[in-house]
Amino acid sequence: PSHDTPADHRMSAMKQLADYKNPFDAVLEFQQAVCDYTGAPYCVTTDCCTQAIEIAFRLIKQKDPVSFPARTYLSVLMTMHKLGISYKLQDRQWTKSYQFEGSNVWDCARHFEANMYRAGTIQCISFGLTKPLQIGRGGCLLTDDPDLFEQASRMRYDGRDIFSYSPWASQKSFRVGYHYHLRPEECVTGLNLLSTQQFTPQLDTYYNYPDCREIEIYD
């Protein structure tokens, strides 16, 4: 069996990207491949899982407080502070993923396996280092809401509709967006990993993270 590293796949991805007439077709193809694997109707790639979580909460316009496990990554708390969402950290164990209770958003940063999608949810996945599908960077959100898919697709790339307008200046109206897109060459890396099955769906649990109740965040 091959033991290529993520760096090897990035080199391969750069070479294969030239095969696409439109490089953003690689983004669409990777998103569809993730949908096929996870069972989600729609996938929107982002530059990391934290940005997928941010986009999800921005689009659902979360007003109510949320609660989630105290043992999680620091950026989750930072995102709640940035968005002005009140939250409570729970002494709660978790395996694979956890829900932001009070919303339909799930943190699935360390979870990636076949048919994992839960209907009616927004699941946010990471493709970073130490994650099951290890591209080295990137993430995505999974949804079954076509309107949320369309809005998230634009929001993650500066409000651009990359599949209808080229060059971007031909688009004359933009909803405020963010520079949170996953590059086409990294999507090709993801396609390589999926097609060769060079990833390991893994369980991960709460005890790999510190208790965030013991830290302070301030402006």
Side-chain angles (χ1 to χ4, degrees), residues 83-129:
L83 298 179
I85 299 173
S86 299
Y87 64 90
K88 179 181 179 181
L89 297 177
Q90 302 174 318
D91 185 13
R92 173 157 58 99
Q93 300 179 2
W94 57 271
T95 299
K96 296 185 180 181
S97 58
Y98 63 81
Q99 182 178 10
F100 293 92
E101 293 183 358
S103 78
N104 66 336
V105 181
W106 285 71
D107 184 343
C108 301
R110 306 188 70 87
H111 183 196
F112 188 73
E113 63 181 318
N115 302 313
M116 64 178 283
Y117 183 69
R118 301 177 175 92
T121 67
I122 305 171
Q123 293 178 289
C124 301
I125 294 171
S126 175
F127 303 131
L129 297 175

Side-chain angles (χ1 to χ4, degrees), residues 2-34:
S2 174
H3 296 286
D4 292 346
T5 66
D8 295 327
H9 280 281
R10 281 193 290 276
M11 290 297 293
S12 177
M14 292 297 291
K15 295 175 182 177
Q16 293 182 28
L17 188 60
D19 296 338
Y20 292 86
K21 182 177 180 180
N22 181 344
F24 291 112
D25 287 343
V27 178
L28 279 177
E29 188 175 339
F30 180 53
Q31 290 183 165
Q32 185 58 55
V34 171

